[in-house]
């Protein structure tokens, strides 16, 4: 099959970029989308041109490195998957495909399709943990966890930190990301001691990083490769309000 | 050169306790004066960084990804072993120890494995306290499942994402220390070399992957947790950026490389579909709990699997190994799959696959229960192949997955270079010639949370003092050498891409240093590897400059190191004239294709010392292995 690519190119250190056109022929429909980009890059290198920079690593939808918007959709046309799990069988022969980076004020573009997502690390740093030093833990079975709660905590902990929720949001809000971590930890008995300070600090850091506010459109949850529920944002708002009203 | 594993004396059960008592302590007020470098943020690196920082050391942590949370431990699926015996099925520290020694085919150290089994229970306690959402029973207690090579259920899991959940736990602990100012984090930094001064590791040289800047960092100890070298095969289940360079650079600076030929080929991966393929995807071995492996009885049977009647199917693992059945260790399951395919019994479009069938499990347990256990794996399979495993059996084939070999370390996890410690998959220590499923996560976390934070003190207190000016000079020289190497590879200015050479090397290793090895094949492979290396240095083309972001340059330098390591892997495989675990030499097998181990001549760790900066010459040392608790026996799963 043939694909007509329009790819965002932006040099390092430049504030702006532009779309460039590439046509790739004789592609296999079983190829993954990133393997198609590999082929494009190998062609470019052979012609002594600068290859397209993009973040990727595990290529099985778990590391959260990939950060592409394809035809306007973060991670491409399918729900519940990352762009590395997208195959060319999802495109039509001779289709025009627009590829651009995740865009948000808090995710500045570094080069081509690579963005800086260290703001997400700083949010975790502000409170996305349970304070327990190595060696001080009680016996694991001394903390039973209700199965339903454990499952709900897991579903939130499944977040891969890719930032698609931010990229798809018209306000570039990180509410789904923050609420997933907050839900994971605040649902568990182990997370209760720091419940309030965690909500206050993480939400505070999210605002400091320049992410926008949430208006509950639900676009984030639809774009999320791990299908994290919008309920998590409601839980975050509740936890934040409770913590805010009862703090000194 | 003389070296010793430094195994403490005394009964096996007491060695680690006694040793910990004998290790020096660092005064709390002095700990913050010690700077420790940790390279890598997978399970071993993140857990070591956070634990050292909690103790009060100043830690600098480096990773090549944009965030420490993305290290490749994240992709581990199946689970983590521990000897808790929660199911009450007869497990114990001793049994986990015994299974691991036997699973590794008697090519690992008893003392290290016993310590690992002892620590395993503390890991579960710690991870639960961190909020790792392990699977639970309705009563709220932790659930377990069984894994290959064991007859008890001792594997803790978080759906098919155990590695992700454990890593996020370690990452959160790491970020907590970043917040407290005890860890300085350097993402998108690649370690380019080790700085050695008067025989001690005193720092590292890194390259900032965004700006291209070459930077030096001095410290009192360097901890390497940079993973394995499976990517040398081009197609593997490793992440695209996993590489051997940090470990290989340490080897060239004096650290020994142990058992480089021990490579794990994982039996349950999605078969490759075409030449454009960039990597292979693993499906957790936990699938073998409920899936049955089979091929048609008749070669060339091209019928769809559902139209092949029961009587014409060969459930070969159940037939050959009746007591372990589909749950034999990975090396056996992989090799048997290859034997079936080589006999023309393979299935699917390429003929390089066997079936993994869930039909009976669906009948027995129902679709819902199966989806709860393996839902994400089935989904992953369907996304890649376009086939629904609830309706059609999966097609699977072995793929390179893990390397048991790695840098040689003593009982303290310290390498032959004093002050350089090596953790997790990057070291060689605990898995012998074959790693059991769900043991990699256990080892990475044991090394990082519970071993190195204590053993590093021995070097910090006992290491010889070196003048700062000497360290500075060594650092400057090493930086210069790194810059020269960067220039050299760009200056080749040939016409072939790095991937061209990588595919060539990978194919060669897969065929000659993969699941079956022979003297003739290995001798030929060494010759060919040298040829590819020469061609690489004459014909590779790297676009752009060293002074900014340059993904092709990163790949080229990693490739140059793979080309040296590949030769050592083949040499090690050639020198080990026996079959054991993952290492199967055609010359050493029984008439029914089982391995013949040679304990008289090869009951040792092969420890290679680099003698030549060009990576062409090595001296082979041998660390003898003693088995006092488990008697050496032929491994049988029949």
């Amino acid at each position: 099959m043939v694909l007509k690519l329009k790819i965002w190119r932006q040099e390092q250190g430049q504030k702006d970029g532009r779309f460039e056109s590439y046509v790739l022929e004789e592609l296999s429909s079983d190829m993954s989308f990133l393997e198609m980009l590999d082929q494009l890059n190998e062609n470019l290198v052979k012609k002594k041109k600068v290859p397209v920079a993009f973040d990727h690593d595990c290529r099985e939808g778990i590391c959260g490195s990939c950060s592409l918007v394809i035809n306007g959709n973060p991670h491409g046309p399918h729900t519940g998957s990352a762009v590395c799990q997208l195959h060319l069988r999802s495109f039509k022969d001779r289709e025009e495909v627009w590829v651009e980076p995740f865009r948000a004020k808090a995710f500045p573009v570094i080069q081509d399709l690579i963005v800086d997502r260290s703001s997400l690390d700083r949010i975790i740093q502000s409170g996305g943990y349970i304070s327990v030093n190595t060696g001080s833990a009680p016996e694991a079975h001394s903390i039973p966890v209700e199965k339903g709660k454990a499952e709900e905590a897991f579903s939130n902990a499944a977040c891969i930190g890719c930032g698609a929720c931010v990229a798809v949001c018209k306000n570039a809000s990180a509410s789904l990301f923050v609420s997933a971590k907050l839900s994971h930890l605040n649902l568990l008995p182990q997370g209760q001691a720091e419940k309030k300070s965690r909500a206050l600090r993480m939400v505070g850091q999210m605002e400091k990083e320049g992410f926008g506010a949430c208006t509950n459109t639900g676009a984030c949850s639809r774009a999320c490769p791990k299908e994290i529920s919008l309920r998590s944002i409601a839980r975050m708002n509740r936890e934040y309000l409770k913590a805010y009203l009862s703090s000194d | 050169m003389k070296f010793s594993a430094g195994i403490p004396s005394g009964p096996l059960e007491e060695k680690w306790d006694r040793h910990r008592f004998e290790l020096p302590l660092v005064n709390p007020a002095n700990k913050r004066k010690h700077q420790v470098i940790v390279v890598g943020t997978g399970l071993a690196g993140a857990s070591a960084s956070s634990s050292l920082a909690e103790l009060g050391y100043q830690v600098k942590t480096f990773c090549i990804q944009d965030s420490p949370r993305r290290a490749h431990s994240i992709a581990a699926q199946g689970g983590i072993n521990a000897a808790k015996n929660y199911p009450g099925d007869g497990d114990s520290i001793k049994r986990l120890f015994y299974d691991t020694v036997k699973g590794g085919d008697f090519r690992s150290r008893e003392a290290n494995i016993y310590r690992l089994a002892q620590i395993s229970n503390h890991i579960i306690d710690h991870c639960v306290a961190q909020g790792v959402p392990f699977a639970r029973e309705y009563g709220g207690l932790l659930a377990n499942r069984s894994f290959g090579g064991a007859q008890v259920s001792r594997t803790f899991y978080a759906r098919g994402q155990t590695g992700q959940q454990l890593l996020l736990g370690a990452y959160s602990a790491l970020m907590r220390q970043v917040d407290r100012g005890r860890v300085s984090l350097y993402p998108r930094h690649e370690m380019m070399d080790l700085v050695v001064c008067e025989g001690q590791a005193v720092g590292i040289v890194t390259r900032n992957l965004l700006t291209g800047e070459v930077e030096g960092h001095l410290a009192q100890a360097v901890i390497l947790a940079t993973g394995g070298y499976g990517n040398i095969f081009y197609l593997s289940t490793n992440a695209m950026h996993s590489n051997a360079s940090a470990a290989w650079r340490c080897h060239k600076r004096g650290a020994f490389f142990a058992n480089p030929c021990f490579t794990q080929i994982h039996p349950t991966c999605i078969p490759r579909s075409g030449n454009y393929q960039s990597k292979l995807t693993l499906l957790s071995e936990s699938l073998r709990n409920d899936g049955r492996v089979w091929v048609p009885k008749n070669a060339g049977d091209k019928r769809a699997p559902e139209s092949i009647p029961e009587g014409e199917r060969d459930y070969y693992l159940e037939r050959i190994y009746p007591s372990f059945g589909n749950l034999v260790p990975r090396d056996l399951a992989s090799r048997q799959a290859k034997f079936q395919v080589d006999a023309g019994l393979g299935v699917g479009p390429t003929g390089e696959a066997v079936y993994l069938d869930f039909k009976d499990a669906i009948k027995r347990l129902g679709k819902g229960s199966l989806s709860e256990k393996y839902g994400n794996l089935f989904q992953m399979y369907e996304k890649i192949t376009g086939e629904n495993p609830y309706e059609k059996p999966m097609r699977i084939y072995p793929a390179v997955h893990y390397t048991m070999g790695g840098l040689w370390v003593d009982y303290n996890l310290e390498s032959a270079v004093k002050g350089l410690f090596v953790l997790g998959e990057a070291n060689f220590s605990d898995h012998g010639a074959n790693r059991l499923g769900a043991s990699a996560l256990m080892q990475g976390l044991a090394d990082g949370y519970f071993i190195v934070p204590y053993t590093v003190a021995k070097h910090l207190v006992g290491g010889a003092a070196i003048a700062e000016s000497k360290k500075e000079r060594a650092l400057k020289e090493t930086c210069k050498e790194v810059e020269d190497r960067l220039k050299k590879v760009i200056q080749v200015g040939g016409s072939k891409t790095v991937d061209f050479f990588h595919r060539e090397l990978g194919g060669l290793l897969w065929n000659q240093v993969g699941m079956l090895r022979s003297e003739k094949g290995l001798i030929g492979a060494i010759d060919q590897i040298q040829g590819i290396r020469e061609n690489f240095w004459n014909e590779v083309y790297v676009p752009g400059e060293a002074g900014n972001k340059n993904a092709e340059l990163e790949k080229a330098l990693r490739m140059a190191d793979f080309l040296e390591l590949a030769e050592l892997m083949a040499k090690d495989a050639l020198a080990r004239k026996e079959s054991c675990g993952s290492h199967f030499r055609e010359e050493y097998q029984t008439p029914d294709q089982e391995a013949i181990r040679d304990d008289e001549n090869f009951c040792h760790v092969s420890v290679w010392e680099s003698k030549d900066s060009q990576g062409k010459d090595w001296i082979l040392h041998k660390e003898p292995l003693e088995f006092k608790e488990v008697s050496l026996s032929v491994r049988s799963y029949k």
Side-chain angles (χ1 to χ4, degrees):
Chain A
M1 61 193 287
V2 174
L3 286 183
K4 299 175 189 170
L5 301 166
K6 308 279 179 189
I7 299 183
W8 184 260
R9 302 301 307 258
Q10 181 171 338
E11 273 108 58
Q12 236 181 321
Q14 299 297 311
K15 282 222 159 57
D16 214 352
R18 75 244 155 246
F19 283 101
E20 282 195 10
S21 305
Y22 306 92
V23 178
L24 281 183
E25 292 169 353
E26 291 180 39
L27 296 166
S28 157
S29 60
D30 285 332
M31 211 174 205
S32 77
F33 193 84
L34 297 187
E35 282 163 357
M36 184 269 294
L37 288 183
D38 290 341
Q39 186 161 329
L40 169 68
N41 277 346
E42 203 160 352
N43 294 350
L44 289 172
V45 172
K46 280 183 194 158
K47 289 183 201 153
K48 314 227 157 178
K49 288 188 180 154
V50 182
V52 180
F54 63 100
D55 269 329
H56 63 100
D57 202 18
C58 78
R59 298 207 174 183
E60 39 192 83
I62 195 75
C63 76
S65 294
C66 42
S67 49
L68 306 183
V69 175
I70 296 167
N71 291 340
N73 300 308
H75 293 308
H78 300 304
T79 55
S81 66
V83 78
C84 56
Q85 297 170 293
L86 175 65
H87 287 75
L88 299 192
R89 63 180 86 97
S90 304
F91 296 89
K92 289 197 269 311
D93 191 25
R94 311 199 72 79
E95 190 174 335
E96 195 169 87
V97 183
W98 293 75
V99 187
E100 48 189 320
F102 281 4
R103 293 185 197 275
K105 185 177 154 198
F107 290 172
V109 174
I110 293 171
Q111 184 189 356
D112 297 341
L113 304 170
I114 295 183
V115 297
D116 178 354
R117 286 170 287 184
S118 55
S119 45
L120 298 183
D121 283 325
R122 288 189 293 274
I123 292 174
I124 298 297
Q125 183 185 326
S126 73
Y129 47 76
I130 289 169
S131 298
V132 52
N133 284 356
T134 305
S136 58
E139 151 58 43
H141 263 182
S142 65
I143 320 168
V145 183
E146 201 186 306
K147 189 172 165 72
K149 275 212 169 138
E151 292 286 330
E152 178 79 7
F154 177 91
S155 297
N156 282 284
C159 167
I160 59 174
C162 62
C165 48
V166 177
V168 77
C169 176
K170 62 183 173 125
N171 302 328
S173 167
S175 290
L176 195 66
F177 170 82
V178 178
S179 67
K181 186 45 68 182
L182 212 56
S183 295
H184 160 212
L185 298 175
N186 283 16
L187 277 165
L188 293 173
Q190 303 92 303
Q192 296 309 304
E194 294 163 294
K195 202 176 169 152
K196 283 187 195 170
S197 63
R198 182 178 301 122
L200 293 173
R201 285 194 69 195
M202 288 181 77
V203 172
Q205 189 65 32
M206 166 172 74
E207 285 174 3
K208 230 190 275 175
E209 295 289 347
F211 291 102
C214 172
T215 48
N216 283 307
T217 67
C220 50
S221 185
R222 284 193 298 278
C224 174
K226 295 295 160 192
E227 298 177 304
I228 289 166
S229 159
L230 203 57
R231 281 201 308 272
S232 302
I233 298 185
R235 185 182 294 112
M236 172 179 79
N237 291 339
R238 233 169 23 238
E239 298 271 325
Y240 179 78
L241 191 66
K242 273 196 286 185
Y244 183 76
L245 293 176
S246 61
S247 64
D248 309 319
Chain B
M1 181 169 169
K2 275 194 179 163
F3 65 99
S4 152
I7 309 289
S9 57
L12 193 60
E13 298 79 10
E14 293 170 22
K15 283 183 195 289
W16 176 233
D17 273 351
R18 278 196 199 186
H19 188 66
R20 255 190 321 174
F21 180 73
E22 283 157 12
L23 284 168
L25 295 175
V26 180
N27 176 321
N30 284 338
K31 278 190 182 129
R32 62 174 173 270
K33 295 180 193 158
H34 289 291
Q35 180 90 239
V36 180
I37 282 174
V38 180
V39 189
T41 57
L43 288 178
S47 59
S49 297
S50 59
S51 303
L52 286 162
E54 285 161 12
L55 288 172
Y57 297 111
Q58 279 297 329
V59 181
K60 277 186 175 182
T61 300
F62 298 80
C63 68
I64 55 174
Q65 296 84 359
D66 71 321
S67 162
R69 68 180 291 153
R70 308 203 200 286
H72 192 52
S73 302
I74 199 98
Q77 298 170 355
I80 177 166
N81 286 332
K84 286 280 193 187
N85 192 29
Y86 286 156
D89 55 0
D91 202 6
S92 61
I93 288 173
K94 190 149 187 190
R95 191 174 296 282
L96 173 55
F97 157 75
Y98 173 81
D99 286 348
T100 311
V101 173
K102 179 183 166 198
D105 215 356
F106 302 91
R107 289 296 174 263
S108 46
R109 290 183 194 141
E110 278 193 340
N112 282 54
I113 298 180
Y114 199 87
R115 171 175 68 183
L116 180 64
Q118 284 175 307
I119 290 174
S120 68
N121 291 339
H122 301 298
I123 297 173
I124 301 304
D125 295 341
H126 185 56
C127 293
V128 166
Q130 283 179 331
V132 170
F134 284 122
R136 287 181 184 265
E137 305 290 358
Y138 281 101
L141 300 180
L142 292 154
N144 287 115
R145 63 181 170 200
S146 53
F147 245 64
Q151 286 177 317
V152 293
S153 286
R154 63 160 73 98
T155 305
F156 294 78
Y157 62 99
R159 292 190 206 160
Q161 284 148 260
T162 318
Q164 181 202 23
Q165 293 309 317
L166 294 173
L167 183 61
L168 293 181
Y171 157 77
S172 70
L174 167 65
M175 295 314 284
R176 173 172 163 243
Q177 295 305 316
V178 172
D179 196 49
R180 278 158 180 63
R182 298 252 179 80
V183 175
S184 317
L185 201 58
Y186 295 81
R188 293 195 196 266
H189 276 66
E190 179 156 13
M191 172 174 162
M192 305 301 292
D193 215 333
L194 180 74
V195 184
V196 179
C197 185
E198 297 185 356
Q200 290 189 46
V202 297
I204 63 170
V205 175
T206 59
R207 181 168 176 270
N208 180 325
L209 297 180
L210 289 183
T211 64
E213 213 174 323
V214 172
E215 301 156 356
H217 304 269
L218 289 176
Q220 275 78 47
V222 175
I223 295 175
L224 202 69
T226 51
Y229 49 90
N231 244 351
I232 197 167
F233 287 84
Y234 188 68
L235 286 181
S236 78
T237 66
N238 282 189
M240 299 299 286
H241 300 301
S242 300
N243 68 83
S245 284
W248 191 250
R249 289 289 130 200
C250 292
H251 174 56
K252 304 286 284 281
R253 295 276 174 201
F256 299 161
F257 215 106
N259 297 335
C261 80
F262 290 165
T263 313
Q264 179 158 84
I265 317 267
H266 193 290
T268 48
C269 301
I270 300 178
R272 60 184 242 153
S273 66
N275 286 332
Y276 45 79
Q277 192 126 8
S278 58
K279 71 156 282 169
L280 295 168
T281 303
L282 174 122
L283 294 164
S284 165
E285 131 180 8
S286 61
L287 290 171
R288 287 197 276 141
N289 270 310
D290 291 305
R292 298 177 68 196
V293 178
W294 64 276
V295 291
K297 276 189 179 159
N298 305 312
D301 189 340
K302 290 285 166 210
R303 283 177 290 176
E306 54 275 20
S307 13
I308 299 178
E310 280 296 318
E312 292 175 44
R313 299 175 175 199
D314 179 13
Y315 294 90
Y316 58 88
L317 288 177
E318 296 169 23
R319 172 172 57 81
I320 304 171
Y321 305 105
S323 68
F324 278 71
N326 292 296
L327 284 176
V328 290
R330 291 174 175 176
D331 52 338
L332 297 179
S334 291
R335 202 144 54 230
Q336 288 298 339
K338 182 171 167 52
F339 290 152
Q340 304 305 322
V341 164
D342 289 351
L345 297 162
V347 301
T350 60
E352 282 206 348
V354 298
Y355 289 125
L356 180 63
D357 203 332
F358 293 90
K359 192 184 65 178
D360 295 344
I362 292 174
K363 250 186 249 159
R364 184 163 41 93
L365 304 163
K367 216 171 147 179
S369 149
L370 219 57
S371 137
E372 200 179 291
K373 272 170 149 171
Y374 311 117
N376 70 318
L377 302 173
F378 279 34
Q379 204 186 15
M380 193 184 238
Y381 179 84
E382 189 170 357
K383 267 177 197 154
I384 293 175
T385 62
E387 288 178 3
N388 180 351
Y390 292 104
E391 287 158 12
K392 270 185 132 176
M394 285 182 173
R395 283 173 292 114
I396 55 162
Y397 198 62
V400 175
H401 173 56
Y402 185 91
T403 49
M404 280 75 68
L407 291 180
W408 180 88
V409 288
D410 66 8
Y411 189 73
N412 286 328
L413 305 182
E414 192 173 23
S415 74
V417 176
K418 295 291 140 206
L420 172 68
F421 294 78
V422 190
L423 320 183
E425 192 180 348
N427 76 24
F428 87 104
S429 69
D430 298 352
H431 308 296
N434 172 58
R435 179 175 65 73
L436 290 182
S439 285
L441 306 185
M442 172 172 69
Q443 185 223 336
L445 290 178
D447 288 0
Y449 280 133
F450 293 103
I451 301 174
V452 87
Y454 307 110
T455 58
V456 76
K458 186 163 170 278
H459 176 75
L460 295 175
V461 171
I466 303 173
E468 286 303 312
S469 60
K470 282 190 182 166
K471 289 189 202 171
E472 291 285 350
R473 204 177 318 131
L475 182 68
K476 232 173 133 183
E477 279 166 19
T478 314
C479 284
K480 171 84 175 45
E481 284 173 38
V482 167
E483 276 166 0
D484 290 347
R485 209 164 69 239
L486 289 162
K487 270 184 218 143
K488 189 179 158 199
V489 73
I490 288 177
Q491 275 166 2
V492 175
S495 60
K496 292 191 172 132
T497 61
V498 177
D499 284 349
F500 170 85
F501 294 102
H502 201 168
R503 277 190 284 261
E504 194 180 357
L505 179 71
L508 175 65
L509 291 178
W510 178 247
N511 291 326
Q512 304 301 344
V513 200
M515 281 186 278
L516 294 183
R517 296 136 181 216
S518 70
E519 182 169 284
K520 190 166 160 256
L522 290 165
I523 291 172
I526 292 169
D527 199 48
Q528 287 184 58
I529 291 164
Q530 290 168 348
I532 301 173
R533 190 161 66 215
E534 205 181 308
N535 293 344
F536 174 85
W537 283 108
N538 287 323
E539 296 174 30
V540 73
Y541 173 67
V542 179
E545 296 142 23
N548 50 34
K549 172 134 188 61
N550 190 338
E552 285 294 307
L553 176 62
E554 293 164 25
K555 281 201 290 191
L557 290 163
R558 294 168 193 162
M559 186 64 209
D561 292 334
F562 278 152
L563 282 164
E564 295 179 8
L565 169 58
E567 185 175 337
L568 187 62
M569 285 168 72
K571 283 195 164 150
D572 187 46
L574 185 62
R576 190 170 280 278
K577 294 185 194 323
E578 64 162 351
S579 293
C580 61
S582 64
H583 172 65
F584 194 84
R585 284 279 299 264
E586 283 174 21
E587 302 93 327
Y588 310 102
Q589 58 175 318
T590 64
D592 57 347
Q593 296 181 308
E594 295 294 336
I596 299 180
R597 218 177 55 216
D598 178 355
D599 293 329
E600 205 167 308
N601 296 302
F602 291 95
C603 194
H604 61 246
V605 180
S606 300
V607 185
W608 298 86
E609 181 182 1
S610 172
K611 286 312 281 177
D612 174 357
S613 64
Q614 301 302 311
K616 286 178 197 148
D617 207 9
W618 291 273
I619 296 175
L620 172 60
H621 304 283
K622 290 169 188 173
E623 180 199 323
L625 292 168
E626 281 184 357
F627 292 91
K628 288 184 181 155
E629 284 293 315
V630 187
S631 51
L632 278 163
S633 59
V634 174
R635 203 172 53 145
S636 170
Y637 292 92
K638 290 202 169 176

